[in-house]
Amino acid sequence: MRYGWGSYEVNLSTRQVLADAEVVHIEPKAFDVLQYLIENRGRVVRKNDLLDDVWDSRFVSESARTTAIKSARRAVGDSGTTQHTIRTAHGAGYQFVEPDDFAVSGDGTATPPAHADPRPGRPHHVPWPVG
C-alpha cells in the first residue's frame, strides 16, 4: 500500500518515506506513528490510543511519543510550528490532515491524481506515484 500527496510518498511495503523521489530518513517507531495517523486520517487520534496501538500497550515515556511525532513531522516536511500534515489537537491528540491531492495506491480504493497544484508552504508537486 502506498499513500501520496504533493511531493511525498509513504510506502508501507518498503517502510519508506520519499520526498521528491528521494528516501527520507525516518526512525522505525516514527514510521509506525506516521502510518497509524495516515490510516486513521479524518479523525483525531487520542494520545492514549496512539500509545496503546503503536507501542502495543508497553509503558513508554511522554518524551518517546513526542520524539516519534517530531520525527514523523520532519519526514513529511512539517515542524511543531508548521503543521500542514500532522496537526496537534491540543488536549486531545494528533490528526493527519488529508491534503487535497492525497491518493492511495495498492488496494483499488483510489487512484493517484494526474496532477495537482502546489499548496503554499509545500515543496513543488511531483506527479505521484513516484518511481
Side-chain angles (χ1 to χ4, degrees), residues 5 7 11 14 20 24 26 37 49 65 88 94-95 108:
W5 66 95
S7 61
N11 188 320
T14 61
D20 294 321
V24 175
I26 185 170
L37 291 173
D49 291 341
R65 179 184 45 80
T88 299
Y94 305 95
Q95 181 179 20

Side-chain angles (χ1 to χ4, degrees), residues 43-107:
R43 74 177 186 90
V44 173
V45 173
R46 293 180 345 167
K47 294 175 184 181
N48 288 341
D49 291 341
L50 186 66
L51 290 172
D52 290 347
D53 294 341
V54 174
W55 277 269
D56 198 27
S57 299
R58 286 183 298 240
F59 176 78
V60 294
S61 67
E62 179 84 8
S63 66
R65 179 184 45 80
T66 56
T67 298
I69 288 288
K70 181 178 179 180
S71 295
R73 279 187 171 134
R74 191 173 33 245
V76 295
D78 277 358
S79 69
T81 305
T82 59
Q83 297 183 12
H84 296 291
T85 306
I86 299 174
R87 181 179 69 85
T88 299
H90 293 285
Y94 305 95
Q95 181 179 20
F96 179 84
V97 180
E98 191 170 320
D100 292 338
D101 61 347
F102 185 81
V104 179
S105 176
D107 70 348

